């Protein structure tokens, strides 16, 4: 409208300017209208400097602007989402987890935020979960969110629906599940790796041991089947009668796909308990999150020795504006918007909260590698508050990523096995940020 009124553009010419402005960052054709716009305004008596300023505003808007209809639609989605999150945080949590992968935050952060707002979240379990995350009766008349099988890496939706349809009132053992659920050995092991057999009284390590024992049972069953085919019918019947007579009450019949321990006896094995830190790492490997503990908690004593404050303390009045502090955490997000003139924005998460970090261009250039690659980071800088918005303006960094593999060593930072120096970063640890550049 400015082009039509002030520079005497025709409607078609003005529409061309609009289209060029909307795609300015992609093809840069808006400059083709510059001379016509400025000359048109000066011919009608406008000061040239004013005309150039007007066109500069049009170019600038093209960097970030979008249509009013887009803005209205987005605002409606934001309002509805904010309303549901405020009044029905359990529903919001389940729904947004079922919409993954999407957006800015990973499931671990969505679950952490929900729990911080009073939502009970329960682990995925073979006797309780559906494919999607669901709601269950919780404490105080509220709902609890039950994590779904969809969060476990490597599982197939159609295969898991067979398990859900077959479980009835619940499976009593892995052997029973294997016999009736109709799912692959791979799926059973993935469920065990995700610690999804707790309702059977089995933790991750015990469930994996039981799941892999199914291979042994399968081999022995196959051998007995071959033996049955090679012997006469009477000999086979005698063998089966002998096995039936020796089994205890409730034991499963001979040659069934779920052989009893009486048929294939094994010595009892006392598996060493898995340390909590290992459970947390394996939770992240299997599902991308853990309800047991946050990985940073296992480094808290070491971080305290470095003078690191918990991220939740940034809201405390005990810390003044511009105070020099050190914060740390897993790197969740890195952003370097094109309009930020080289400024990088980072989000760190520890076991208490998140910390927002601002890295000015000069500081970034001196610490580029650390800023762009670290997964576990300590940041020294100045605290800045503006109302509810809290940032730390970074001045120095300590890359702690090489310490993450210690979580798989039982959290023993002083193990003789590790006395030769820090371990290399374990690429299989799924503690990675989402980066937007």
């Amino acid at each position: 409208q400015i082009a039509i009124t002030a520079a005497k553009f025709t409607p078609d010419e003005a529409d061309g300017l609009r289209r060029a402005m909307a795609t300015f960052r992609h093809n840069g054709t808006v400059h083709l209208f510059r001379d016509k716009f400025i000359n048109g305004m000066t011919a009608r008596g406008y000061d040239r400097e004013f005309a150039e300023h007007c066109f500069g505003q049009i170019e600038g808007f093209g960097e970030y602007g979008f249509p009013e209809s887009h803005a209205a639609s987005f605002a409606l989605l934001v309002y509805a989402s904010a309303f549901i999150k405020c009044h029905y945080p359990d529903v919001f949590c389940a729904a947004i987890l079922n919409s993954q992968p999407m957006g800015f935050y990973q499931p671990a952060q969505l679950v952490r935020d929900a729990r911080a707002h009073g939502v009970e979240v329960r682990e995925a379990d073979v006797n309780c979960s559906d494919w999607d995350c669901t709601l269950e009766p919780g404490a105080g008349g509220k709902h609890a969110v039950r994590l779904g099988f969809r969060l476990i890496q490597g599982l197939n939706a159609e295969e898991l629906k067979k398990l859900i349809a077959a479980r009835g009132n619940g499976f009593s053992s892995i052997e029973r599940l294997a016999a009736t659920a109709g799912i692959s050995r791979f799926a059973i092991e993935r469920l065990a790796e995700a610690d999804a057999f707790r309702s059977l009284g089995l933790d991750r390590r015990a469930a994996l041991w039981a799941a892999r024992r199914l291979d042994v049972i399968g081999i022995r069953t196959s051998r007995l089947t071959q033996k049955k085919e090679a012997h006469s019918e009477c000999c086979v019947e005698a063998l089966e009668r002998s096995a039936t007579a020796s089994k205890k009450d409730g034991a499963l019949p001979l040659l069934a796909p779920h052989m009893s321990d009486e048929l294939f006896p094994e010595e009892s094995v006392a598996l060493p308990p898995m340390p909590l830190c290992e459970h947390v790492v394996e939770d992240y490997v299997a599902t991308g999150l853990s309800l047991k503990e946050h990985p940073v908690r296992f480094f808290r004593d070491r971080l305290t020795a470095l003078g690191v404050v918990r991220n939740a303390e940034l809201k405390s009045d005990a810390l003044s504006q511009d105070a020099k502090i050190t914060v740390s955490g897993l790197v969740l997000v890195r952003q370097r918007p094109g309009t930020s003139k080289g400024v990088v924005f980072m989000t760190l998460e520890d076991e208490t909260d998140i910390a927002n970090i601002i890295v000015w261009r000069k500081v970034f250039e001196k610490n580029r590698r650390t800023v762009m690659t670290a997964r576990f980071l300590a940041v020294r800088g100045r605290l800045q508050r503006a109302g509810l918005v809290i940032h730390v303006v970074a001045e120095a960094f300590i890359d702690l990523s090489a310490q993450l593999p210690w979580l798989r060593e039982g959290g023993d930072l002083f193990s003789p096995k590790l006395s030769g120096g820090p371990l290399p970063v374990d690429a299989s640890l799924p503690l990675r940020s989402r980066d937007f550049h």
Side-chain angles (χ1 to χ4, degrees):
Q1 189 62 47
I2 291 173
I4 292 172
T5 301
K8 285 301 178 182
F9 274 45
T10 66
D12 285 345
E13 290 172 333
D15 190 57
L17 174 60
R18 179 191 64 79
R19 292 175 182 273
M21 182 180 67
T23 59
F24 171 67
R25 297 186 65 188
H26 300 286
N27 56 34
T29 58
V30 71
H31 72 276
L32 300 176
F33 296 87
R34 178 182 178 85
D35 290 343
K36 181 175 179 58
F37 183 92
I38 294 174
N39 292 337
M41 288 188 68
T42 55
R44 300 196 67 241
Y46 291 97
D47 182 75
R48 185 173 184 84
E49 184 178 352
F50 174 72
E52 291 175 347
H53 179 69
C54 288
F55 194 80
Q57 286 186 305
I58 291 174
E59 288 182 313
F61 181 79
E63 285 281 334
Y64 63 87
F66 45 80
E68 182 180 5
S69 58
H70 184 166
S73 299
F74 188 75
L76 180 60
L77 289 173
V78 171
Y79 175 80
S81 299
F83 179 90
I84 296 171
K85 187 177 186 298
C86 178
H87 297 285
Y88 305 96
D90 47 1
V91 176
F92 181 84
C93 178
I96 200 167
L97 288 175
N98 290 337
S99 299
Q100 296 296 312
M102 60 171 287
F104 207 71
Y105 298 105
Q106 302 181 59
Q109 286 77 62
L110 297 171
V111 167
R112 183 197 62 79
D113 180 78
R115 296 173 83 182
H117 287 85
V119 177
E120 180 186 359
V121 182
R122 298 172 179 172
E123 67 278 358
D125 190 275
V126 292
N127 281 329
C128 305
S129 293
D130 289 339
W131 176 253
D132 285 332
C133 299
T134 55
L135 298 179
E136 298 178 348
K142 298 180 179 180
H143 289 104
V145 175
R146 172 68 68 177
L147 298 182
F149 295 129
R150 64 161 42 246
L151 293 178
I152 301 176
Q153 300 296 320
L155 293 182
N156 177 275
E158 295 305 316
E159 189 175 19
L160 268 293
K161 287 177 182 177
K162 295 179 183 178
L163 180 149
I164 295 167
R167 72 185 171 201
N169 293 326
F171 300 109
S172 58
S173 67
I174 288 185
E175 290 79 10
R176 183 65 182 169
L177 183 150
T180 62
I183 63 175
S184 65
R185 189 63 44 78
F186 171 81
I188 294 174
E189 291 195 1
R190 288 303 294 160
L191 289 166
E193 289 166 354
D195 210 9
F197 287 94
R198 290 280 180 169
S199 62
L200 303 183
L202 301 173
D203 68 3
R204 172 180 282 109
R205 181 168 285 173
L208 275 171
W209 182 269
R212 289 169 183 171
R213 180 176 175 270
L214 295 174
D215 291 322
V216 177
I217 293 177
I219 292 171
R220 293 178 179 177
T221 301
S222 176
R223 289 174 178 172
L224 282 177
T225 301
Q226 294 172 6
K227 189 173 184 179
K228 177 177 180 180
E229 294 172 351
H231 287 71
S232 65
E233 184 176 343
C234 62
C235 292
V236 173
E237 289 178 353
L239 178 63
E240 291 180 343
R241 283 196 302 270
S242 175
T244 301
S246 63
K247 68 183 180 69
K248 298 178 181 178
D249 292 340
L252 299 172
L254 184 68
L255 303 179
H258 35 271
M259 292 295 182
S260 67
D261 286 337
E262 287 72 24
L263 181 61
F264 300 138
E266 288 189 4
E267 293 185 10
S268 178
V269 177
L271 298 173
M274 180 180 284
L276 178 59
C277 58
E278 288 189 57
H279 270 299
V280 170
V281 171
E282 297 307 324
D283 283 344
Y284 271 85
V285 170
T287 65
L289 61 92
S290 179
L291 302 180
K292 299 179 179 73
E293 191 53 84
H294 193 279
V296 174
R297 199 272 284 175
F298 302 101
F299 299 99
R300 179 50 57 189
D301 290 344
R302 188 176 180 88
L303 294 173
T304 300
L306 291 174
V308 174
V309 301
R310 291 174 171 84
N311 292 341
E313 296 177 33
L314 299 181
K315 302 173 184 177
S316 170
D317 292 337
L319 297 176
S320 60
Q321 179 80 344
D322 289 326
K324 287 287 189 72
I325 60 171
T326 303
V327 295
S328 72
L330 303 179
V331 181
L332 301 185
V333 178
R334 274 178 274 246
Q335 301 176 76
R336 196 184 185 193
T339 55
S340 69
K341 298 182 179 179
V343 179
V344 175
F345 302 93
M346 306 177 71
T347 303
L348 307 184
E349 181 189 65
D350 69 6
E351 74 274 30
T352 65
D353 209 337
I354 62 171
N356 296 310
I357 311 298
I358 296 177
V359 186
W360 294 117
R361 184 171 183 172
K362 289 184 178 179
V363 176
F364 171 69
E365 290 173 352
K366 293 179 180 178
N367 301 275
R368 175 185 293 269
R369 183 178 181 84
T370 298
V371 172
M372 299 304 292
T373 64
R375 293 191 288 170
F376 182 21
L377 191 63
V379 179
R380 177 75 172 170
R382 291 181 293 106
L383 178 65
Q384 287 194 344
R385 287 197 185 98
L388 297 177
V389 180
I390 303 174
H391 292 96
V392 175
V393 180
E395 296 177 353
F397 305 87
I398 303 175
D399 188 352
L400 303 171
S401 304
Q403 297 191 23
L404 289 174
W406 271 310
L407 293 173
R408 274 188 163 155
E409 297 295 329
D412 185 0
L413 299 180
F414 305 101
S415 168
K417 177 181 176 182
L418 306 173
S419 60
L423 292 174
V425 174
D426 187 344
S428 68
L429 291 174
L431 305 174
R432 297 180 180 87
S433 63
R434 285 187 172 172
D435 300 334
F436 303 88
H437 307 311

